[in-house]
Amino acid sequence: MATSSAPAAGDRADRTAFTTERLLLRPVRTGDVPAVTRLWTDPLVRHHLGGPVADQVVRIRQRRIVGAPGVHAVVRSSDGALLGLVTLEPDARDGETEVSYQFLPEHWGHGYAREAVGAAVDRALESAPSVVAVTQEANDRSRRLLEGIGMTHAASFVEFDAHQVLYRKRPDPA
């Protein structure tokens, strides 16, 4: 699903970039910060994520997001529009790699999140024994996405005062 993308000459940060059929996943750049800020403050995006992030926290995140390890801006190849973020965090949850994602509402329903998250999980499974994702039990769209990329329900629990579900994917046996 994912293929490597050659970095631009002299652009060390883009060595972690990769592409899918319609998307480029690459490190966050300074010019992405306004769109990324929308991800943290949009009530629709944040509905199952505890609500919009406080202004003080947004300012801290704005300073740290550019080039942050594991954080991929998801960019539509056809026009360069930033659609969302996919983050891969090794050793995040009980030693397993965790994938998380947020997409701007105007890009929902086009399969971009499924394409990007699926590619990121496949890429992570090249070196990790498993990848997990957590979403609120009530977040049907996210659950369908995770099931659609082959992740399976592994646990249910309460965290942040909400019912959560954990999904897991392991590499396909050879």
Side-chain angles (χ1 to χ4, degrees), residues 33-92:
V33 172
V36 171
T37 298
R38 277 192 55 218
L39 290 169
W40 299 326
T41 58
D42 186 291
L44 287 173
V45 174
R46 301 294 304 173
H47 180 73
H48 293 290
L49 297 169
V53 175
D55 290 343
Q56 180 179 351
V57 175
V58 167
R59 286 191 295 278
I60 292 167
R61 288 183 179 185
Q62 286 171 328
R63 289 192 301 270
R64 295 181 178 169
I65 193 71
V66 174
V71 181
H72 298 87
V74 180
V75 178
R76 189 170 42 215
S77 298
S78 64
D79 64 1
L82 188 133
L83 311 177
L85 292 178
V86 174
T87 301
L88 289 167
E89 190 176 353
D91 301 320

Side-chain angles (χ1 to χ4, degrees), residues 138-153:
N139 191 345
D140 293 330
R141 292 179 86 134
S142 186
R143 294 183 72 180
R144 281 193 306 272
L145 182 155
L146 295 170
E147 291 165 5
I149 64 167
M151 297 188 88
T152 56
H153 179 261

